[in-house]
Amino acid sequence: MRFALFSLIQNSPDAVAGAKRTPHERFRQVVDEAVLAEQLGFDAYGVGERHSEPFLSTAPPVVLAAVAERTRQMRLLSAVTVISLLDPVRVAEDYATLDQLCGGRLELMIGKGNDARDYSLFGLDVDRRWDYQEEKFVLLRRLLEERDVTWSGEFRPRLREATILPRPFRSSIRIWHGSSSSTESTELAARFGDPLFTANLFHPKKRYADLVDHYRERWAAYGRDPADALVGSGADGLFVAPTSQAAVEGYRPYFDAKARSALHQRHGSPYRTVEEIIDGGSALVGSPQQVIDKIADYHASFRHEVLALSIDGLSAADSLTVLELFAAEVMPVVRRELPSTVWDD
């Protein structure tokens, strides 16, 4: 198993102390968090994309460029790039530039996004989000892999012999497909032979396991070797502590704040208490052994090789304590019991 730390740069009042950071303070915290993640042995750091409160992650390549200058080894991911909203030419240029800056450590994750409010901000029709995603992804892929691209489509002016500059650091950039709730993303990933990342956030495991199964079925249907299908997964919260009781009580104020949020309610999560999300959801809350066991349980269903975690919303003190304990007592065991060759290069 490989481990990534992701952030949507949520900027809400601290659920424990009640304080809210300035945007400048929050951005600097994210960069410092990425540096700490590398020091603790995480394999990757990712920044998502959102265009409404309470998030500040409107410009992931800018934030990742700052992270690139403070790190040396771990992969950098966009998590996700909302390709349905954006111009693929601009996306290709921005991320190829970032890929050059970080020496080829960049991997993209694309998706349609999960906030309908973003479409009106960009003057787009939310009902056509899947059409946007497919057309723009296909063009983005060509721009990153090919020179002299001639192309025409519905949602942007045609291109004639276009070559984006700079080129990626290597021949191209790996593209993951972020999938939350529908088979359109799993189908697109399988058709192009790309890896899948299941959000695994708001709902019971079976919903996401069904999407992963669909991806593998379609992967095989396209004549691909099942052994080559690569899956990553998220988890809806992290709080590891020396004992189960300490973890539950430590995480309770953070979950209660999240459960009251409009985002949690908009996604229709069935979990209303911290006990419910621990028992039925993907939150990794408990002692180190409990967290190890839960990761293994989800791996039995997903067979994923990358696990992405987030500490957005935790206080600075709790973030440090949780990450240090997870890195010291969970990651080594999971790596030994669930080995992976992803990112061995």
Side-chain angles (χ1 to χ4, degrees):
M1 184 78 70
R2 301 299 191 187
F3 296 93
L5 195 62
F6 283 1
S7 178
L8 286 170
I9 318 183
Q10 178 182 333
N11 197 32
S12 303
D14 188 312
V16 174
K20 183 176 180 179
R21 297 174 179 85
T22 67
H24 172 77
E25 291 170 338
R26 185 69 179 101
F27 282 125
R28 299 319 308 174
Q29 181 189 33
V30 166
V31 176
D32 290 342
E33 178 182 289
V35 173
L36 174 64
E38 183 171 75
Q39 292 171 348
L40 292 175
F42 280 80
D43 302 286
Y45 192 85
V47 175
E49 180 181 339
R50 292 289 189 275
H51 295 276
S52 55
E53 291 184 333
F55 306 106
L56 298 176
S57 52
T58 55
V62 178
V63 179
L64 287 170
V67 171
E69 288 304 294
R70 295 276 308 278
T71 58
R72 291 293 174 266
Q73 294 181 332
M74 66 180 180
R75 301 295 170 122
L76 306 179
L77 280 83
S78 66
V80 300
T81 296
V82 187
I83 190 62
S84 54
L85 300 177
L86 307 174
D87 178 5
V89 174
R90 179 76 268 177
V91 173
E93 291 176 338
D94 283 349
Y95 282 104
T97 300
L98 175 56
D99 194 43
Q100 288 287 346
L101 285 169
C102 71
R105 292 185 284 140
L106 176 70
E107 299 195 3
L108 279 170
M109 188 184 299
I110 62 99
K112 67 167 179 51
N114 60 9
D115 195 332
R117 296 174 295 177
D118 294 346
Y119 286 86
S120 60
L121 179 65
F122 285 83
L124 298 172
D125 180 359
V126 67
D127 292 332
R128 302 209 63 189
R129 58 193 182 277
W130 291 114
D131 299 325
Y132 299 142
Q133 174 168 314
E134 181 168 359
E135 179 179 298
K136 293 181 178 186
F137 158 70
V138 173
L139 176 56
L140 173 65
R141 187 185 183 92
R142 289 193 62 192
L143 290 167
L144 291 173
E145 294 184 350
E146 303 174 25
R147 296 175 180 268
D148 301 321
V149 174
T150 296
W151 173 93
S152 63
E154 184 177 356
F155 302 120
R156 63 148 290 131
R158 65 180 302 180
L159 298 174
R160 184 179 297 276
E161 298 182 354
T163 299
I164 64 108
L165 295 173
R167 304 302 301 161
F169 186 81
R170 297 187 176 89
S171 59
S172 188
I173 297 171
R174 175 185 273 163
I175 300 178
W176 296 72
H177 293 248
S179 174
S180 178
S181 59
S182 56
T183 57
E184 283 87 347
S185 291
T186 53
E187 173 68 27
L188 200 60
R191 191 202 322 170
F192 283 89
D194 293 330
L196 177 76
F197 187 91
T198 177
N200 191 33
L201 293 178
F202 300 103
H203 304 287
K205 177 171 59 178
K206 185 178 186 306
R207 180 165 182 174
Y208 301 107
D210 288 345
L211 287 171
V212 173
D213 288 344
H214 176 265
Y215 166 68
R216 295 186 189 279
E217 290 165 4
R218 297 304 300 154
W219 181 278
Y222 283 108
R224 307 184 192 282
D225 185 344
D228 294 334
L230 175 59
V231 175
S233 174
D236 192 14
L238 173 68
F239 203 99
V240 59
T243 67
S244 173
Q245 183 178 5
V248 172
E249 294 311 312
Y251 189 62
R252 189 181 302 280
Y254 299 113
F255 177 79
D256 289 348
K258 180 165 66 172
R260 293 191 298 267
S261 70
L263 180 67
H264 190 82
Q265 296 169 21
R266 185 163 60 246
H267 285 284
S269 174
Y271 308 117
R272 297 293 178 263
T273 68
V274 68
E275 287 82 7
E276 288 179 359
I277 198 168
I278 293 172
D279 291 340
S282 62
L284 298 173
V285 178
S287 68
Q289 188 58 54
Q290 287 174 312
V291 170
I292 290 167
D293 292 343
K294 192 162 189 178
I295 292 172
D297 176 66
Y298 271 79
H299 182 268
S301 294
F302 296 168
R303 288 174 286 156
H304 56 300
E305 296 191 49
V306 177
L307 174 62
L309 308 165
S310 175
I311 53 170
D312 278 6
L314 300 190
S315 69
D318 280 341
S319 295
L320 179 61
T321 300
V322 166
L323 287 180
E324 287 182 338
L325 186 56
F326 183 86
E329 298 194 23
V330 176
M331 290 202 308
V333 177
V334 176
R335 281 191 171 128
R336 183 175 65 249
E337 295 181 356
L338 302 173
S340 172
T341 60
V342 178
W343 299 332
D344 272 0
D345 59 336

